[in-house]
Amino acid sequence: RFVHAHAQGTEGIKNAILGGVKVIAHAIYIDEECSALAKDLDVVVVPTLSIVNKILTIGSKIGIPEWGLRKAEEANKAHISNIRKAYRLGVKIATGTDFCGGPLRMGDNALEIKLLVESVGMEPKEALIAATRVAAEAVGLKDSVGTIEKGKIADLIAVSGNPLDNLDILMSKENIKLVVKEGRVVKKLF
């Protein structure tokens, strides 16, 4: 077993890593020292960029006050800059979010992939690996899911089009043409 921490501030991130935490969620104010520690100790960072992105996109519509939106914008700029640096320093990055429902709906995980490309500078292939192989590692399931290999559980989707050419394909659930869960087809639309 391992520990997964929600750490946003630099000292909290550093203390969590030094304390043996293997997954850091958010990591808004991760600095170069924390990034170096994360890389050296094989820590996975799950930046959850889509949370603040959604707050900035729909916040005024759902009642977030102007001062809150200004604070979110400030944090978002720092977050993107810091995660971009962590990525360039070789820190393992996985997708994930703690959307809880309501306006921040479950099932909108593809936005995280898109933001890793658009905001952080990952190549589409790297962002898809962050959402599959590295995300499986982040939840302790790398030996059973996350890649298509003999002996692993087949949890996968097929979409209309190639997300390596156009990540927007993943943004629309209508493009999902096949869903396989634990090796069983649960949705087929072709």
Side-chain angles (χ1 to χ4, degrees):
R1 298 195 188 265
F2 59 90
V3 176
H4 175 129
H6 288 239
Q8 297 183 26
T10 307
E11 285 302 309
I13 296 164
K14 181 178 177 180
N15 289 338
I17 293 170
L18 291 174
V21 168
K22 290 297 179 190
V23 179
I24 304 287
H26 309 304
I28 293 172
Y29 296 102
I30 191 170
D31 65 4
E32 288 189 25
E33 179 186 9
C34 292
S35 291
L37 285 169
K39 182 178 179 188
D40 291 346
L41 297 173
D42 204 31
V43 171
V44 177
V45 171
V46 182
T48 65
L49 298 169
S50 55
I51 295 170
V52 176
N53 176 276
K54 279 288 194 181
I55 288 170
L56 292 172
T57 303
I58 64 171
S60 62
K61 296 175 191 168
I62 62 172
I64 294 177
E66 186 61 37
W67 64 265
L69 293 173
R70 282 192 309 272
K71 181 66 177 173
E73 179 65 35
E74 176 186 312
N76 191 51
K77 285 179 183 174
H79 194 192
I80 288 169
S81 175
N82 292 331
I83 296 301
R84 188 179 296 134
K85 288 176 195 170
Y87 162 67
R88 289 182 182 145
L89 290 169
V91 174
K92 275 189 197 173
I93 296 176
T95 63
T97 184
D98 47 10
F99 282 174
C100 56
L104 302 177
R105 298 181 328 216
M106 298 283 196
D108 288 340
N109 305 33
L111 178 57
E112 197 73 20
I113 297 167
K114 188 171 179 175
L115 290 172
L116 286 176
V117 172
E118 292 178 352
S119 299
V120 176
M122 282 187 174
E123 292 297 321
K125 181 178 178 180
E126 293 174 300
L128 290 171
I129 290 169
T132 54
R133 185 179 73 215
V134 183
E137 180 180 342
V139 295
L141 297 173
K142 70 178 181 178
D143 293 332
S144 58
V145 297
T147 56
I148 301 172
E149 297 179 65
K150 185 177 180 179
K152 288 194 173 184
I153 297 169
D155 283 350
L156 51 96
I157 64 170
V159 295
S160 59
N162 185 349
L164 293 175
D165 296 331
N166 180 5
L167 285 173
D168 286 330
I169 289 167
L170 300 174
M171 299 298 291
S172 174
K173 293 173 189 83
E174 290 78 33
N175 289 325
I176 299 173
K177 301 302 179 187
L178 175 71
V179 177
V180 178
K181 173 96 174 99
E182 298 176 355
R184 295 178 57 226
V185 174
V186 294
K187 177 182 176 181
K188 184 176 179 182
L189 295 173
F190 56 89

